[in-house]
């Protein structure tokens, strides 16, 4: 008999299957993003009903199958109930989850991405900082974890550390000062505040990545640059992107 796998995991997506089953996409700390079928979990009295819902962080007992796991047991650890009270927060949660699925973090990256997403969902639910800031932090940090860490310490052209404006190339992650960017035909997309925030997001300890404040202009630059950066490194635009933009603009 095949031994079960016991793991914590966050439900990133749920799809109804047949009459009362759900196919779950789960981000786990050891196995990355996996698929699992939760049989009968749409029935209210089913033991799996609550712990297999969208954005439930649960302890799962899974049996490996040919194409996916089967959920045998699930116990809730955390549920982000408050997300559903806000269209904006729920839309952001869907967008962040979709990015995690598309990036498919490796086993080495999965635990860090899971913690990042859990913290981002908590911040979105709590509402203590703007949702656009949560979005920007997640976009840049998840890229950094999954192999797309930008070079933010100095201008790649001349070595300048700080100055009035800089340009972050969304494709290769190089940083250029205003003068070096102009020579390559680029316009700055970061002012000093946005550059500071970008460095903080990508390089600070996990517990500190949300701890900064920005002026409105710097915040807009950070939002636009982080968004372009993550979209450049995804194979396609997330399906949730258009709706998120319509409610966050």
């Amino acid at each position: 008999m095949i031994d079960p796998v016991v793991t914590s995991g966050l439900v990133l997506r749920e799809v109804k299957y047949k009459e009362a089953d759900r196919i779950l996409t789960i981000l786990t700390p050891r196995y990355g993003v996996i698929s699992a079928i939760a049989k009968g979990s749409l029935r209210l009295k089913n033991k799996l009903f609550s712990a297999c819902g969208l954005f439930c962080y649960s302890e799962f007992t899974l049996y490996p199958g040919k194409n996916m796991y089967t959920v045998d047991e699930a116990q809730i650890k955390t549920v982000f109930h408050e997300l559903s009270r806000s269209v904006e927060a729920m839309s952001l949660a869907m967008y962040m989850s979709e990015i995690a699925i598309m990036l498919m973090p490796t086993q080495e990256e999965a635990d860090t991405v899971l913690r990042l997403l859990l913290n981002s969902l908590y911040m979105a639910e709590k509402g203590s900082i703007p949702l656009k800031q949560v979005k920007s932090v997640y976009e840049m940090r998840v890229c950094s974890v999954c192999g797309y860490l930008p070079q933010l310490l100095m201008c790649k052209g001349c070595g300048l550390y700080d100055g009035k404006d800089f340009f972050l190339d969304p494709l290769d992650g190089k940083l250029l000062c205003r003068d070096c960017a102009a020579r390559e035909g680029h316009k700055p997309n970061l002012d000093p505040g946005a550059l500071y925030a970008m460095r903080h997001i990508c390089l600070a300890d996990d517990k500190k990545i949300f701890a900064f404040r920005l002026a409105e202009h710097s915040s807009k630059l950070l939002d636009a640059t982080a968004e372009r950066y993550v979209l450049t490194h995804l194979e396609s635009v997330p399906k949730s992107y258009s709706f998120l933009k319509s409610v966050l603009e």
Side-chain angles (χ1 to χ4, degrees):
M1 184 176 178
I2 300 175
D3 292 331
V5 171
V6 179
T7 180
S8 58
L10 176 67
V11 179
L12 304 180
R13 180 184 293 163
E14 58 174 355
V15 178
K16 182 180 179 181
Y17 180 68
K18 295 185 177 179
E19 183 179 345
D21 301 344
R22 279 183 283 191
I23 295 178
L24 310 178
T25 302
I26 307 170
L27 176 58
T28 70
R30 290 183 58 194
Y31 308 104
V33 178
I34 63 172
S35 295
I37 185 167
K39 296 181 179 179
S41 63
L42 286 175
R43 297 190 178 97
L44 289 174
K45 294 184 179 181
N46 188 279
K47 65 178 183 178
L48 303 177
F49 177 79
S50 297
C52 291
L54 186 62
F55 304 132
C56 283
Y57 179 50
S58 302
E59 188 83 8
F60 293 95
T61 300
L62 308 167
Y63 281 93
K66 184 176 181 181
N67 298 313
M68 67 179 71
Y69 292 88
T70 297
V71 182
D72 183 60
E73 295 181 9
Q75 299 293 326
I76 294 175
K77 300 179 75 171
T78 303
V79 182
F80 297 94
H81 287 298
E82 297 301 315
L83 287 174
S84 61
R85 297 180 182 273
S86 164
V87 173
E88 295 85 357
M90 193 66 177
S91 300
L92 178 58
M94 297 291 290
Y95 171 75
M96 294 190 296
S97 294
E98 192 173 356
I99 288 175
I101 294 170
M102 295 175 74
L103 286 174
M104 288 295 291
T106 64
Q107 289 186 359
E108 292 75 19
E109 300 161 350
D111 181 53
T112 303
V113 173
L114 175 59
R115 285 187 280 111
L116 170 64
L117 185 49
L118 288 170
N119 288 336
S120 298
L121 292 176
Y122 172 78
M123 296 304 294
E125 183 180 57
K126 186 178 178 182
S128 57
I129 63 174
L131 289 176
K132 283 191 175 183
Q133 184 172 324
V134 177
K135 174 177 172 287
S136 297
V137 170
Y138 180 80
E139 288 169 332
M140 292 307 303
R141 190 72 171 199
V142 77
C143 281
S144 300
V145 172
C146 292
Y148 303 108
L149 175 66
Q151 187 281 114
L152 293 169
L153 293 181
M154 64 184 70
C155 171
K156 190 172 182 179
C158 67
L160 184 69
Y161 176 77
D162 57 14
K164 186 174 182 181
D165 298 306
F166 279 80
F167 170 75
L168 177 64
D169 192 309
L171 184 59
D172 65 12
K174 70 180 180 181
L175 187 69
L176 296 174
C177 69
R178 179 172 54 188
D179 293 338
C180 290
R183 282 193 285 271
E184 295 192 16
H186 301 299
K187 293 182 179 180
N189 54 13
L190 296 172
D191 67 1
L195 176 58
Y196 167 82
M198 192 77 73
R199 286 170 172 160
H200 179 84
I201 292 166
C202 294
L203 303 174
D205 293 339
D206 290 349
K207 294 181 180 180
K208 299 179 180 179
I209 57 175
F210 294 99
F212 64 89
R213 293 178 180 271
L214 280 180
E216 183 178 356
H217 179 67
S218 298
S219 181
K220 288 180 179 179
L221 290 175
L222 175 64
D223 176 60
T225 304
E227 181 180 287
R228 187 179 178 195
Y229 194 83
V230 73
L231 294 179
T232 298
H233 293 289
L234 297 175
E235 292 185 358
S236 59
V237 177
K239 295 179 180 178
S240 54
Y241 171 77
S242 294
F243 184 72
L244 174 65
K245 291 293 287 183
S246 71
V247 297
L248 275 190
E249 288 295 342

